[in-house]
Amino acid sequence: MSDFWDAASAIATTGATGVALWFGWHEAKMRRKEEADREAAQARLVVPVIDGYRGEVVNHSSEPLLELRIIRADADQPNGNPVAVRWSEGDPRIFRNVSAGQTHHLELLEQGWGPYIDPVNGYEVEEDEGITPFNATNHRLTIQFMDAAGLRWQRVGLRPPTRILGEFSDPAPNPE
């Protein structure tokens, strides 16, 4: 009978140890997640959008950005391939000390994309001109910035921001 209680005690001790280890691991994981969420609080408030013929980055946070870079503007073609958007060469794309609430603009240029083919009838309707082809979707700016805490971030369109652990990228050259 003593062997039974020894075995039961060993199983219970092992089970309790496993549960305690799981709770410790789970607590550490939740703390890391909460810390990452706190770190990204300002980054989520830096919003890059393309509105018509203009790219726009707004710092909706109450803190300044130490640096902001507009890396590129693009969209997706129906086949899934990205198409680059042109911008005015005179527009700066690297900014230092962007105040809370400040907006920076990038004028996007209209381009000729060839004839626009009617998808139903299959014939040319007109010349396809705009910042992207007529049927392009998911227009977006890719930006990189340093928040008030000195953390580096990248944001592609309205996707959640991601941390950059290395150096910033240089803005892409204007597409040909």
Side-chain angles (χ1 to χ4, degrees), residues 50-163:
I50 292 180
D51 184 21
Y53 287 87
R54 194 160 136 155
E56 183 174 276
V57 181
V58 183
N59 179 11
H60 288 290
S61 75
S62 59
E63 299 289 328
L65 300 177
L66 303 178
E67 185 171 340
L68 167 66
R69 293 173 177 236
I70 302 174
I71 303 300
R72 70 180 163 276
D74 56 7
D76 291 330
Q77 295 179 355
N79 62 8
N81 292 333
V83 59
V85 176
R86 292 182 57 78
W87 54 85
S88 173
E89 289 288 344
D91 288 348
R93 295 193 297 138
I94 298 177
F95 308 93
R96 306 256 192 296
N97 298 317
V98 178
S99 302
Q102 191 172 3
T103 302
H104 283 285
H105 303 282
L106 184 65
E107 295 302 319
L108 304 174
L109 301 178
E110 188 172 275
Q111 304 176 66
W113 298 97
Y116 174 65
I117 308 298
D118 183 287
V120 175
N121 300 315
Y123 57 84
E124 181 179 331
V125 177
E126 61 186 310
E127 196 63 24
D128 189 0
E129 293 183 350
I131 63 167
T132 62
F134 178 75
N135 54 1
T137 59
N138 193 21
H139 297 75
R140 62 192 171 266
L141 291 178
T142 298
I143 62 171
Q144 293 181 348
F145 56 95
M146 184 182 299
D147 67 14
L151 301 176
R152 290 182 174 97
W153 298 92
Q154 176 168 296
R155 189 150 193 199
V156 179
L158 297 177
R159 289 190 214 145
T162 56
R163 280 284 301 276

